[in-house]
Amino acid sequence: MKGKLITLEGIDGSGKSTIWRLLQNEAIFCDCIFTREPTTSWLGDAVNRALHSNTDHITELMLFLADHADHIARLIRPSLESGLNVISDRYSASRCAYQGSTLEGLFDDPLEWVRSLHKGWTINPDLIILFDIDPAVAVKRCSTRKEQSKFEKIEFLKTVRNNYLRLAAEDRGKFVIIDTDKPLDEVKDEVFRIIAQALEVRKY
Ligand code: TYD
């Protein structure tokens, strides 16, 4: 691929979506494609319907995967092939971390099973920035939002965080972990610097 793929990951309330929005206003990143999962397509709508109902966990995973496949075919692959850099708010690691938790008890190692479902067709990111935070702090941040996800519960997010940390430990070359329990400006500077360096754009 000619372009680079950078993904932002972390539990609900970790601050990644805020930083993703701020990145879009920064001139040095104006040539990047900004995207997210779940996407804004009809498949992303289906995912959101599942997220706001009692949909079975396997069904929910399959919807997330369908949205991911469409995302790759429609936007990620063509952009990277044409040399554009892509920055995505959530990507495959969200599935491994979240569905790795929702499917706990159904499989010996649900995270590994979810990861294996991506093999052979997904496009792996060049860099994954993990926004790491204590779930208690994250849930407090989420409580001021209008629309809340059914996943925003401390006990559940603790398992999701552990899954993220396991993914990072197993793939040290790809992951950068950032502690986001600090002022937004500090997180922003750190993330901007890491992305600028990865994309070899003028130093931030
Ligand atoms: P998102 O809209 O990114 O929430 P937020 O902006 O608050 O971070 O994602 C919605 C929810 O979907 C979020 O709780 C994480 C979850 N999710 C999964 O469980 N699996 C996935 O593969 C993805 C992409 C998201």
Side-chain angles (χ1 to χ4, degrees), residues 12 16-17 36-38 51 64 90 94-95 98-99 145 149 151:
D12 298 74
K16 60 175 183 40
S17 302
R36 52 163 294 141
E37 290 187 10
L51 282 173
F64 273 119
R90 296 197 182 282
S94 283
R95 242 145 357 260
Y98 281 79
Q99 277 61 55
R145 286 192 209 161
S149 144
F151 295 142

Side-chain angles (χ1 to χ4, degrees), residues 20 28 46-47 70 80 103 132-133 152 164 166 169 189 192:
W20 176 76
I28 57 169
V47 167
D70 175 68
L80 295 175
L103 299 174
D132 185 46
I133 193 163
E152 292 169 16
Y164 269 129
R166 173 180 156 191
D189 281 352
F192 279 32

Side-chain angles (χ1 to χ4, degrees), residues 10-12 90 93-94 96-99 101-102 151 155-167:
I11 60 172
D12 298 74
R90 296 197 182 282
S94 283
C96 295
Y98 281 79
Q99 277 61 55
S101 286
T102 60
F151 295 142
E155 287 313 311
F156 178 75
L157 290 179
K158 276 186 189 166
T159 65
V160 176
R161 183 195 192 191
N162 286 340
N163 284 341
Y164 269 129
L165 293 174
R166 173 180 156 191
L167 289 168

Side-chain angles (χ1 to χ4, degrees), residues 114-178:
V114 173
R115 182 158 47 191
S116 73
L117 292 177
H118 289 78
K119 286 196 179 136
W121 59 274
T122 195
I123 295 177
N124 290 319
D126 297 285
L127 173 69
I128 302 168
I129 302 179
L130 176 55
F131 289 59
D132 185 46
I133 193 163
D134 178 346
V137 178
V139 165
K140 211 181 257 170
R141 285 184 182 174
C142 292
S143 62
T144 55
R145 286 192 209 161
K146 249 197 274 156
E147 204 176 355
Q148 284 180 28
S149 144
K150 66 180 175 187
F151 295 142
E152 292 169 16
K153 311 262 180 341
I154 295 177
E155 287 313 311
F156 178 75
L157 290 179
K158 276 186 189 166
T159 65
V160 176
R161 183 195 192 191
N162 286 340
N163 284 341
Y164 269 129
L165 293 174
R166 173 180 156 191
L167 289 168
E170 289 174 0
D171 201 356
R172 285 181 199 281
K174 281 269 160 74
F175 276 83
V176 175
I177 303 178
I178 291 183

Side-chain angles (χ1 to χ4, degrees), residues 48-137:
N48 279 312
R49 285 180 69 169
L51 282 173
H52 293 97
S53 63
N54 277 332
T55 305
D56 153 74
H57 295 316
I58 297 278
T59 311
E60 192 168 76
L61 167 68
M62 297 305 172
L63 289 171
F64 273 119
L65 278 172
D67 188 38
H68 181 60
D70 175 68
H71 194 201
I72 288 177
R74 196 170 36 80
L75 183 75
I76 305 274
R77 188 182 299 282
S79 300
L80 295 175
E81 280 178 353
S82 70
L84 291 166
N85 296 315
V86 178
I87 300 178
S88 185
D89 176 5
R90 296 197 182 282
Y91 198 72
S92 307
S94 283
R95 242 145 357 260
C96 295
Y98 281 79
Q99 277 61 55
S101 286
T102 60
L103 299 174
E104 197 59 62
L106 273 178
F107 301 92
D108 282 346
D109 186 349
L111 182 154
E112 190 47 49
W113 183 69
V114 173
R115 182 158 47 191
S116 73
L117 292 177
H118 289 78
K119 286 196 179 136
W121 59 274
T122 195
I123 295 177
N124 290 319
D126 297 285
L127 173 69
I128 302 168
I129 302 179
L130 176 55
F131 289 59
D132 185 46
I133 193 163
D134 178 346
V137 178

